[in-house]
């Protein structure tokens, strides 16, 4: 009775009835509270970050983002993080440059682990803060004031992201063009240019020689023009312009000491060796910036193809809205034509097929998948869907699948499990495939078997429906089945697995689980003896391949271990 009274009341207590038209409004305070709680956690990490506890701060940040990204999405999580990280890094004009470097390293680690949205948010928010603080410093006319020092901190932050390998050299050239835009030269702007050269000059010279030359030429032209026009002899600005010109000359002659950058060696070493980063190289995940920073707006969908994510944030509008949206998006129209009926699958298709390379594809798929409960399962199905429809086996999809399975925990494990389920589903349908799709499926499954991250068990072949294939062959029996499409599938699958495995020990470990399934074990022996062995090159030409074949056959012939 008490429970019934509570549920029937109209107050705001827990368990109270809320009319349907008011439930959305009632949920908003809770969502805001969750967001505030996440912001407090992130702010706590930033406040505790120093050069002495960078590693524990990064682990704590990773734990927070592991929960925040699936709930809010990468873009929202990145915006929330940078709203906290940037004020902590550059908001205090008296902050130690090493602490600023630690915050830049945290932004870099978030970019590596959770996608390019974090690097993009760091770059854009730093640019907006620089723009506003530079305007305020110019209005004050005080090169050592708070606004000028915060603007210098923004420049240092971007230069360190570049020196760590996160940003391309074009961003540094864009920074210089922004500093001296329209030929404006002042003491504040000269100090900013010197900061760019101090913290980005060494990496720019060594890794981006073309951008280095363009930067020196542009700064030199701006400084020379100011010296001739706006900097009278004996003035303070003339002194700073002359100093800048001397620095440029020393840079050209390689006489400048970049000892200040040696202070960040420990941070660079951490970025290379931190266990939670999984050995990822920052340079391999460099943020692509296909626009002029601080002068042009980012293109639509940058950095992860927001067009692929648009369906997740939009209201479900049924077939009419899906058709309307596909007209302006050829990839989405192609997804509809291939009978990918749900918005999630269409968005995953666009994310996969619109990517620049397999790393970009894995980032885009992870971002889309994070916004849906069944995201990893659907993403894995879309990878297989696209792979089997290629005209020839394309290793791109195997690399994408491996990259997804190598994502940080827990996402990597979820993708690995989902890839196994997707492989099982495809193998169950393989009896109805054509030759091209069969070979493509065999190649992708073999790649996942050989990849230690995906670790697809060879025993998935037990889910192949030999009975239906035999019935389709109108003769019955496994012999007929192995002579048709499924024979081609198993032959190509086993051949590819043997070719991909490193040695005989790897072959033994891969085939050993089949000992537990008597019918599968006997069937695989038939495949090895009747389909694979006759197609092998002579033993003298491929001794390692024959050694792996013998190891596999020996393993399948041995009695099962109890």
């Amino acid at each position: 009775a008490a429970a019934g009274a509570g549920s029937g009341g109209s107050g705001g207590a827990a368990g109270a009835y809320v009319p349907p038209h008011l439930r959305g409004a009632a949920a908003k305070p809770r969502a805001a509270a969750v967001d505030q709680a996440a912001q407090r956690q992130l702010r706590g990490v930033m406040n505790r970050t120093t050069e002495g506890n960078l590693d524990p701060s990064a682990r704590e940040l990773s734990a927070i983002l592991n929960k925040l990204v699936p709930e809010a999405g990468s873009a929202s999580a990145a915006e929330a993080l940078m709203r906290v990280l940037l004020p902590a890094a550059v908001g205090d004009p008296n902050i130690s440059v090493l602490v600023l470097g630690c915050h830049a390293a945290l932004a870099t680690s978030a970019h590596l682990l959770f996608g390019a949205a974090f690097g993009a948010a760091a770059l854009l928010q730093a640019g907006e803060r620089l723009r506003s603080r530079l305007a305020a410093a110019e209005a004050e006319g005080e090169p050592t004031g708070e606004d000028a020092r915060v603007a210098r901190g923004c420049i240092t932050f971007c230069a360190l992201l570049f020196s760590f390998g996160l940003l391309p050299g074009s961003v540094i050239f864009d920074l210089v063009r922004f500093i001296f835009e329209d030929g404006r030269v002042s003491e504040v702007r000269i100090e900013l240019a010197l900061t760019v050269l101090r913290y980005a000059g060494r990496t720019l010279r060594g890794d981006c020689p073309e951008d280095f030359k363009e930067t020196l030429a542009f700064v030199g032209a701006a400084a020379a023009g100011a010296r001739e026009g706006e900097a009278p002899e004996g003035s303070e600005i003339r002194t700073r312009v002359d100093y800048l010109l001397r620095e440029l000359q020393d840079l050209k002659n390689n006489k400048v000491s970049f000892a200040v950058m040696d202070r960040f060696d420990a941070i660079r070493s951490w970025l290379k060796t931190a266990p939670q980063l999984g050995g990822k190289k920052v340079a391999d995940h460099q943020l692509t910036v296909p626009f002029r920073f601080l002068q042009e707006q980012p293109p639509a969908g940058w950095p992860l193809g927001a067009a692929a994510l648009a369906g997740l944030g939009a209201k479900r509008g049924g077939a009419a809205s899906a058709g309307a949206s596909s007209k302006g998006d050829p990839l989405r129209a192609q997804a509809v034509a291939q009978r990918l009926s749900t918005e999630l699958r269409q968005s995953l298709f666009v994310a996969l097929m619109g990517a620049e390379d397999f790393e970009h594809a894995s980032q885009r798929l992870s971002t889309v998948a994070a916004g849906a409960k069944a995201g990893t399962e659907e993403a894995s199905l879309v990878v297989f869907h696209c792979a089997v429809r290629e005209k020839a086996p394309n290793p791109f999809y195997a690399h994408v699948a491996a990259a997804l399975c190598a994502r940080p925990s827990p996402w990597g494990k979820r993708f690995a499990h989902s890839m196994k389920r997707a492989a099982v589903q495809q193998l169950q349908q393989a009896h109805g495939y054509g030759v091209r799709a069969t070979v493509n499926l065999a190649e992708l499954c073999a790649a996942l078997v050989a990849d230690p991250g995906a670790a697809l068990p060879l025993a998935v072949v037990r889910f192949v429906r030999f009975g239906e294939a035999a019935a389709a062959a109108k003769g019955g029996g496994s012999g007929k089945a192995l002579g048709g499409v499924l024979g081609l599938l198993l032959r190509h699958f086993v051949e590819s697995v043997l070719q991909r495995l490193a040695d005989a020990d790897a072959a033994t470990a891969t085939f050993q689980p089949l000992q537990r399934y008597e019918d599968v074990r006997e069937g695989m022996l038939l495949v090895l003896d009747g389909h694979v062995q006759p197609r092998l090159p002579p033993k003298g030409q491929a001794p390692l391949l024959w050694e792996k074949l013998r190891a596999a056959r020996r393993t399948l012939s041995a009695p099962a271990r109890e």
Side-chain angles (χ1 to χ4, degrees), residues 415-491:
F415 275 115
H417 179 69
S418 299
M419 288 293 172
K420 294 174 186 176
R421 298 184 64 178
V424 168
Q425 181 174 330
Q426 293 290 325
L427 290 170
Q428 289 175 335
Q429 300 171 356
H431 60 273
Y433 284 179
V435 173
R436 183 183 299 166
T438 300
V439 172
N440 291 340
L441 176 60
E443 281 291 330
L444 179 55
C445 288
L448 294 179
V449 169
D451 182 76
L456 180 69
L458 192 61
V460 293
V461 296
R462 73 184 191 274
F463 294 102
V464 174
R465 294 176 176 174
F466 293 101
E468 295 186 19
K474 298 181 180 180
S478 60
K480 291 278 187 178
L482 289 179
V485 168
L486 295 188
L488 173 65
L489 171 68
L490 292 176
R491 187 198 75 198

Side-chain angles (χ1 to χ4, degrees), residues 9 25 40 76 103 111 177 203 230 270 326 329 341 345 373 378 405 407 478 494:
R40 283 196 298 270
S76 298
H103 286 93
H111 172 92
R177 285 191 292 199
T203 305
E230 304 173 7
W270 178 83
S326 65
D329 188 343
S341 55
R345 290 189 179 183
K373 184 177 180 180
E378 295 293 287
C405 296
R407 302 290 292 179
S478 60
V494 175

Side-chain angles (χ1 to χ4, degrees), residues 152-464:
R152 200 153 56 241
C154 294
I155 292 286
T156 305
F157 182 80
C158 292
L160 288 177
L161 291 181
F162 164 70
S163 72
F164 294 157
L166 179 62
L167 300 179
S170 60
V171 170
I172 301 302
F173 185 37
D174 291 341
L175 270 176
V176 170
R177 285 191 292 199
F178 169 73
I179 291 171
F180 293 121
E181 63 180 344
D182 300 327
R184 287 183 284 179
V185 179
S186 64
E187 290 185 60
V188 174
R189 293 177 184 271
I190 291 173
E191 288 298 328
L192 295 183
L194 287 170
T195 302
V196 171
L197 298 176
R198 183 177 302 119
Y199 290 101
R202 182 165 71 181
T203 305
L204 199 63
R205 173 192 286 278
D207 298 345
C208 309
E210 292 301 321
D211 290 312
F212 180 70
K213 293 178 183 178
E214 291 179 348
T215 299
L216 291 189
F218 186 87
V219 175
R227 190 177 189 278
E228 295 174 0
E230 304 173 7
E233 188 72 35
S235 65
E236 184 66 27
I237 188 171
R238 177 64 172 267
T239 303
R240 300 306 294 167
V241 167
D242 289 342
Y243 178 76
L244 177 58
L245 288 171
R246 287 196 302 271
E247 285 289 301
L248 291 174
Q249 191 61 38
D250 288 343
L251 275 170
K252 291 178 182 177
N253 298 329
N254 200 18
K255 293 182 179 180
V256 174
S257 171
F258 292 105
V260 65
M261 297 304 294
D262 295 339
R263 303 168 65 186
F264 301 99
D265 286 348
I267 296 177
R268 287 197 190 85
S269 176
W270 178 83
L271 285 170
K272 294 177 181 178
T273 60
Q276 61 263 39
L277 298 183
K280 292 185 175 182
K281 295 182 180 178
V282 181
D284 293 342
H285 299 79
Q286 187 176 85
L287 180 68
T288 302
V289 185
F291 60 96
R292 290 178 65 174
F293 177 51
L294 289 169
Q295 297 173 58
E296 299 175 353
Q297 290 296 319
W302 181 79
L304 293 177
L309 314 179
L312 298 176
K315 293 182 179 180
R316 309 284 179 181
S321 63
S325 64
S326 65
K327 290 180 180 178
D329 188 343
L331 284 178
R332 190 172 290 273
Q334 189 177 347
V336 173
Q338 294 184 15
R339 298 183 181 180
L340 294 174
S341 55
T342 68
E343 250 182 314
L344 175 58
R345 290 189 179 183
Q346 292 170 15
S347 296
L348 289 165
F349 179 89
V350 173
L352 177 62
M353 303 306 289
E356 297 177 358
D357 52 39
F358 75 89
E359 283 284 357
H360 191 211
S362 69
Q363 291 178 353
R364 288 162 59 103
L365 287 172
S366 299
T367 303
V368 179
K373 184 177 180 180
T376 57
E377 290 86 349
E378 295 293 287
S380 301
L381 288 173
V382 168
V383 170
F384 273 87
H385 169 90
C386 296
V388 299
R389 282 164 176 77
E390 290 283 340
K391 294 181 179 180
N394 190 340
F396 168 76
Y397 300 101
H399 289 307
V400 171
L404 289 173
C405 296
R407 302 290 292 179
S409 180
W411 290 102
K413 293 181 179 178
R414 293 178 184 174
F415 275 115
H417 179 69
S418 299
M419 288 293 172
K420 294 174 186 176
R421 298 184 64 178
V424 168
Q425 181 174 330
Q426 293 290 325
L427 290 170
Q428 289 175 335
Q429 300 171 356
H431 60 273
Y433 284 179
V435 173
R436 183 183 299 166
T438 300
V439 172
N440 291 340
L441 176 60
E443 281 291 330
L444 179 55
C445 288
L448 294 179
V449 169
D451 182 76
L456 180 69
L458 192 61
V460 293
V461 296
R462 73 184 191 274
F463 294 102
V464 174

Side-chain angles (χ1 to χ4, degrees), residues 138-154:
E138 289 276 86
E140 290 178 1
E142 179 54 59
T144 59
E146 178 177 335
D147 288 315
R149 286 186 290 166
V150 171
R152 200 153 56 241
C154 294

